[in-house]
Amino acid sequence: MALEPAAGPAKGRTLVRNIGLLLSGDLARPVLEADAILVEDGVIAAIGRDAEVRDRGPFDAVIDCHGSAVAPGLVDSHVHPVLGDWTPRQNQLGWVESFLNGGVTTMVSAGEVHSPGRPKDLVGLKAHAVFAQRSFHNLRPAGVKVLAGAPVLEKGMVEADFAELAAAGVTLLGEVGLGSVKAGYEAREMIAWARKHGIQSTIHTGGPSVPGSGYIDKDTVLEADADIIGHINGGHTSLSEAHVCELCERSSRAIEIVHNGNERVAIAAAQAARDLGVLHRVILGTDSPAGSGVQPLGILRMISLLAGLGGIAPEAAIACATGNTARIRNLDAGLIEVGRAADLLFLDRAQHSAGRDLLHSIELGDIPGIGMVMIDGAVRCGRSRNTPPAERVPELLHA
Ligand SMILES: [Zn+2]
């Protein structure tokens, strides 16, 4: 298990060349006409044609992609971390590192709800949130950026509590509905205070995920008006398809679809968003660790589900897991764009897939193979231990 202090970005200049397909993560322009990237001190410094970018040497390292694809690192919009790379829900160590091997470079906490003895009094819940924020800020499991410190709303919170949390560095709320605040009007007031102080909110949608979780119906979601309609396809028990489609239409908030939800409704929600012309609002998560366990390939599986069974274009499904989430959650990664963090996923068609190429293989429902993952310019893993083997794997050469 690799636990290490949050280091700054990797120093130096890396040329990434011979990219066969460059996926931007931007829904409006998902494929870029370029085959090289210059990474400088952990940031994307240039994107272009090999010959032009190569002119900007010397480099400290060169990554030859051998024709494989590059995409932004995947963002899991909905996880429940506890401490470092350990989850008591499934009594498992190293789950975050396993997600890195599934292409995830950033995870966003929807509440540290599995913490044993989680405090529910106001002083305790605020301290717990600040502790989680600091802990994951200071320590990145396997290099993965875990944005945590997401308090669960409890009755009795007042605006000053949100001001205090924000001043202490808290930027997220845990899933609304998992604590004692379940009524729409009550949640709405607290969510508005959170928003006023720069804290983003997510609401639990659907039936209880595990005993002790809540039931939140369509009208409560609309009334509470959280920034993100968390697991719109339930976690696991979903609202009816009609109510989910109504939420896509009547709310203007982010539509979060998770692996640990109802897969049939996942497809219905994505198609409703596409047909309404609001696919840019769709973001993906796993909601792990949950009762179904942890899914290191959960985000890749969501991409293949939406593309393979849902008829969403594979490059659009990838944008839902990268650029859409980056924009909605104000992340500095998630898009192949100059100035963004160099969180890069190197992938290719899995060996022996029936698909003609990477995108076609995803369209056929296959999981791609990951050959390398980079976070802030540092290579965090080579060929994934969890995906099927990629046909072509990039090679790291020191210049
Ligand atoms: Zn939930």
Side-chain angles (χ1 to χ4, degrees):
M1 183 174 59
L3 277 179
E4 53 186 83
K11 291 282 169 225
R13 312 177 85 232
T14 302
L15 171 67
V16 181
R17 60 180 298 264
N18 219 349
I19 301 170
L21 174 72
L22 186 53
L23 297 163
S24 67
D26 181 2
L27 199 59
R29 195 176 163 227
V31 177
L32 297 177
E33 291 297 316
D35 56 5
I37 297 174
L38 170 62
V39 175
E40 208 163 37
D41 295 339
V43 173
I44 297 172
I47 302 161
R49 286 286 167 203
D50 209 323
E52 309 154 11
V53 180
R54 218 173 343 161
D55 271 355
R56 298 181 54 166
F59 309 106
D60 302 292
V62 175
I63 295 173
D64 186 336
C65 295
H66 295 301
S68 60
V70 171
L74 306 176
V75 184
D76 187 334
S77 174
H78 194 127
V79 296
H80 294 291
V82 166
L83 191 63
D85 210 351
W86 168 63
T87 169
R89 170 62 64 182
Q90 297 301 340
N91 196 16
Q92 193 173 325
L93 290 169
W95 71 282
V96 177
E97 188 178 22
S98 286
F99 273 60
L100 170 75
N101 279 265
V104 171
T105 53
T106 299
M107 291 180 164
V108 185
S109 174
E112 296 76 38
V113 289
H114 302 320
S115 302
R118 170 166 68 90
K120 296 181 179 171
D121 62 292
L122 299 192
V123 172
L125 81 87
K126 285 187 284 187
H128 181 222
V130 174
F131 169 75
Q133 188 277 331
R134 290 292 188 283
S135 171
F136 283 103
H137 179 78
N138 294 338
L139 192 82
R140 288 185 182 174
V144 174
K145 299 168 177 174
V146 182
L147 310 181
V152 173
L153 296 184
E154 299 288 355
K155 283 181 185 290
M157 291 180 81
V158 295
E159 186 179 346
D161 292 315
F162 296 89
E164 186 186 335
L165 284 163
V170 169
T171 60
L172 298 162
L173 279 193
E175 272 176 79
V176 177
L178 298 191
S180 53
V181 174
K182 296 188 194 294
Y185 72 91
E186 214 173 0
R188 185 184 182 89
E189 184 177 44
M190 291 188 186
I191 284 169
W193 287 330
R195 188 176 290 130
K196 183 175 162 192
H197 292 281
I199 298 175
Q200 194 174 51
S201 54
T202 297
I203 190 162
H204 171 98
T205 310
S209 316
V210 288
S213 158
Y215 168 63
I216 301 284
D217 65 12
K218 172 242 333 168
D219 294 321
T220 308
V221 172
L222 287 170
E223 187 176 7
D225 195 33
D227 298 312
I228 288 151
I229 307 172
H231 54 61
I232 196 167
N233 59 319
H236 302 87
T237 312
S238 176
L239 301 178
S240 69
E241 271 186 40
H243 283 186
V244 166
C245 293
E246 191 181 332
L247 283 176
C248 292
E249 192 167 355
R250 289 181 57 198
S251 166
S252 59
R253 303 298 184 181
I255 298 162
E256 186 189 74
I257 302 175
V258 301
H259 185 269
N260 268 304
N262 177 316
E263 288 166 285
R264 177 183 162 121
V265 178
I267 291 169
Q271 291 179 337
R274 178 196 60 194
D275 297 346
L276 289 162
V278 296
L279 204 56
H280 61 276
R281 282 168 47 206
V282 173
I283 60 178
L284 306 183
T286 56
D287 194 4
S288 49
S292 289
V294 299
Q295 299 87 25
L297 305 187
I299 297 294
L300 287 177
R301 294 186 65 83
M302 291 300 295
I303 291 168
S304 293
L305 175 80
L306 296 184
L309 288 176
I312 304 295
E315 61 276 22
I318 290 170
C320 293
T322 55
N324 283 4
T325 325
R327 288 192 174 125
I328 285 165
R329 292 199 174 275
N330 301 314
L331 307 177
D332 73 343
L335 286 156
I336 305 293
E337 216 172 66
V338 170
R340 295 256 175 188
D343 294 359
L344 307 180
L345 177 58
F346 300 75
L347 68 174
D348 198 10
R349 172 175 80 156
Q351 285 176 17
H352 306 294
S353 166
R356 285 186 305 274
D357 52 30
L358 170 69
L359 293 180
H360 188 228
S361 73
I362 296 172
E363 209 178 309
L364 295 185
D366 276 339
I367 302 286
I370 291 178
M372 187 181 278
V373 183
M374 173 188 280
I375 300 177
D376 283 339
V379 173
R380 289 296 180 170
C381 77
R383 175 171 263 173
S384 167
R385 68 179 186 225
N386 291 331
T387 66
E391 205 158 60
R392 291 164 294 187
V393 170
E395 199 180 351
L396 175 62
L397 313 155
H398 290 277

